[in-house]
Amino acid sequence: MLALSAGIIFFGCAFLGKLPKGVTINGIDVGGKTQAEALSLVRGDIVNCLKEKSLTVHGKQKDYVFTYPEISYKDNLQKLIKTVKKGTQYTAEVSYHLNGVSEITASICSDESLPVIEPYAIFNTEGEPFNYFEGSDGTRADRVKLLYDIRASLEGDFCDVYVSVKTVPRTVSQEAVKYNTRLLSTFTTRFDGANTARAHNIFLAAKSINGTVLQNGESFSFNGTVGARTADRGFKTAKIIENGEFVEGIGGGVCQVSTTLFNAAMLAGCDITEFHQHSLAVSYVPPSFDAMVSGSYFDLKFENRTGYTLYIRAVTGANSITFNFYGRGDGAQYGYSSVVTGSISPAEETTKDPLLVKDGKCGIISEGYLTINRNGVSTTKLFRRDKYAPVKRVTLEATQTEEEETSGTCAIIPQVPQL
């Protein structure tokens, strides 16, 4: 009995790991094969069949094709082989999957999704202030559906998959863009175009400001934007006010630019944070509405407190400068008025030299008022008070009778409100 048992054990060990005769898996005869050999044969056949397959995903932008080894599989062969019986035919369970399907579908959907391009405007420094564009609706690929369709295709006959996209509409209208870039204020002053040096300085300073975009809450500095007025930077010699006199100086005419800008900014609803009056009254704006700049110490500054972006355009003609402010504004309309409240008589001197004779000019005491109309309610408030010095009058020595005929007093001349 012991000998017989030993023989049986020896016989069993000889065939240990061999599959029974007559066993087929997926139509492949694996009888008498080891489990490893059977696995290799059947899986080799699965891979060969898989290499002949492909999955195509059709998108709006392009097509995406996937093959082995991007497409892989899982099977139950390990479990199946352990249970096979002699003379039996088996079919392995095989499932297919796309490796990294989560990342792949995210990438496809990113490629196939187009961003919404909202209507927009491009600000110009010449010609039309703005060019308007309609934009376009966007698209969003449905990743959840794409995942489902890919898995369904791989579970079936590898049919083509189509990316499903949905339209994402624009949220802003072109009319709204135009409203946000409407003309808020305009202010013009005039100058003598024949004075070429002064006209050149005005053009040069205005050019530095033209095209400025001021975001809500952002501050503007005239000196910071225009820079130093020096000959090296192209500025020329023209009349400036210095020590109560009109004299020749580099950058003459730049104060007309700052004054024009000051008024346009005020009428657009900006918060004027720094301004300075001239020592003498100027002719191109009413009293109390000038804004002198000088060196780096006297600046014009204002802040955009409208709640929206402001666009600043400078237009310089042969004898005029205009500043236009565009934006949505704060909903109010602004106006101003100048009131002369007094005058200051000029000092008088006599001279024997006809070359030193000059007309005097009365000094001015004035007030500036700002009118704000919001929702049909109008309010007027005192904006500033100013005192402009007189210009000394120099005459030739004359007889007492002549002096009585030529002397006089300064009259207070009412100013017409400028709106």
Side-chain angles (χ1 to χ4, degrees):
M1 290 293 294
L2 289 173
L4 179 60
S5 297
I8 294 172
I9 292 172
F10 175 79
F11 182 83
C13 290
F15 291 93
L16 187 63
K18 300 282 187 177
L19 299 185
K21 296 290 186 179
V23 175
T24 63
I25 301 177
N26 291 359
I28 299 173
D29 184 3
V30 294
K33 305 291 185 184
T34 64
Q35 291 186 11
E37 290 171 339
L39 284 173
S40 178
L41 283 172
V42 177
R43 285 178 173 169
D45 183 66
I46 292 173
V47 168
N48 288 334
C49 291
L50 183 54
K51 288 179 178 179
E52 296 178 359
K53 298 177 179 291
S54 64
L55 169 67
T56 301
V57 177
H58 298 282
K60 299 290 185 181
Q61 306 302 317
K62 63 178 182 178
D63 293 337
Y64 309 82
V65 180
F66 302 96
T67 58
Y68 177 84
E70 294 170 298
I71 301 174
S72 190
Y73 68 95
K74 292 181 180 179
D75 59 51
N76 67 336
L77 283 171
Q78 289 277 15
K79 183 178 179 181
L80 178 64
I81 286 176
K82 294 178 181 179
T83 63
V84 296
K85 295 180 180 179
K86 181 180 179 181
T88 307
Q89 297 178 354
Y90 296 91
T91 300
E93 294 177 3
V94 181
S95 62
Y96 300 97
H97 61 273
L98 183 60
N99 292 321
V101 65
S102 180
E103 293 78 6
I104 288 173
T105 53
S107 177
I108 291 175
C109 288
S110 176
D111 291 343
E112 296 298 321
S113 297
L114 299 177
V116 174
I117 300 176
E118 300 289 358
Y120 64 98
I122 292 180
F123 184 39
N124 301 315
T125 56
E126 296 180 352
E128 289 295 322
F130 295 92
N131 291 124
Y132 294 97
F133 299 88
E134 294 183 355
S136 59
D137 293 336
T139 57
R140 181 181 297 118
D142 190 337
R143 187 182 173 202
V144 173
K145 187 175 186 305
L146 180 58
L147 274 168
Y148 176 85
D149 290 346
I150 287 175
R151 286 169 178 160
S153 176
L154 296 178
E155 289 172 2
D157 56 359
F158 283 60
C159 62
D160 289 359
V161 172
Y162 294 84
V163 179
S164 177
V165 296
K166 298 178 181 178
T167 298
V168 181
R170 286 159 284 184
T171 60
V172 177
S173 68
Q174 192 175 72
E175 288 70 24
V177 174
K178 290 182 178 180
Y179 186 80
N180 289 341
T181 54
R182 64 194 178 98
L183 180 64
L184 294 177
S185 69
T186 183
F187 197 87
T188 300
T189 60
R190 301 190 176 279
F191 55 84
D192 180 10
N195 187 339
T196 56
R198 192 172 187 277
H200 169 82
N201 292 339
I202 289 173
F203 173 81
L204 198 59
K207 183 180 178 181
S208 299
I209 303 169
N210 187 30
T212 295
V213 177
L214 205 60
Q215 301 298 331
N216 181 51
E218 191 174 356
S219 180
F220 175 90
S221 163
F222 186 92
N223 288 339
T225 302
V226 175
R229 278 74 78 184
T230 63
D232 289 343
R233 299 188 65 243
F235 288 91
K236 298 182 178 181
T237 299
K239 290 289 185 182
I240 63 172
I241 298 175
E242 188 175 275
N243 299 323
E245 299 281 346
F246 288 96
V247 299
E248 296 291 324
I250 296 292
V254 170
C255 287
Q256 183 162 352
V257 179
S258 60
T259 292
T260 309
L261 180 64
F262 164 83
N263 283 274
M266 181 180 59
L267 295 176
C270 291
D271 183 10
I272 310 296
T273 57
E274 181 182 346
F275 67 90
H276 304 273
Q277 70 164 78
H278 288 85
S279 57
L280 303 177
V282 294
S283 61
Y284 43 82
V285 289
S288 288
F289 286 96
D290 59 322
M292 178 268 293
V293 291
S294 180
S296 59
Y297 302 102
F298 296 94
D299 200 359
L300 167 65
K301 293 181 180 178
F302 54 85
E303 293 182 6
N304 175 11
R305 296 296 180 187
T306 65
Y308 302 91
T309 304
L310 285 176
Y311 306 87
I312 305 174
R313 178 86 175 267
V315 181
T316 307
N319 57 5
S320 67
I321 176 173
T322 299
F323 277 105
N324 295 323
F325 276 62
Y326 300 89
R328 180 164 181 161
D330 61 1
Q333 293 180 321
Y334 295 85
Y336 72 89
S337 58
S338 170
V339 177
V340 175
T341 59
S343 64
I344 306 169
S345 297
E348 295 189 16
E349 291 182 358
T350 60
T351 182
K352 295 180 179 180
D353 187 352
L355 297 178
L356 298 179
V357 172
K358 64 178 180 179
D359 291 333
K361 185 178 180 181
C362 294
I364 297 174
I365 302 172
S366 61
E367 295 175 342
Y369 290 86
L370 183 64
T371 300
I372 305 171
N373 190 311
R374 192 185 301 275
N375 298 324
V377 178
S378 182
T379 58
T380 300
K381 64 179 182 180
L382 178 65
F383 181 66
R384 56 188 274 193
R385 287 190 175 95
D386 298 282
K387 184 182 289 186
Y388 300 93
V391 177
K392 182 171 61 177
R393 182 168 179 256
V394 181
T395 61
L396 285 173
E397 290 184 357
T399 63
Q400 183 175 0
T401 302
E402 290 174 329
E403 290 176 355
E404 289 174 353
E405 290 176 351
T406 57
S407 63
T409 59
C410 295
I412 300 176
I413 303 173
Q415 301 294 314
V416 177
Q418 304 292 313
L419 300 179

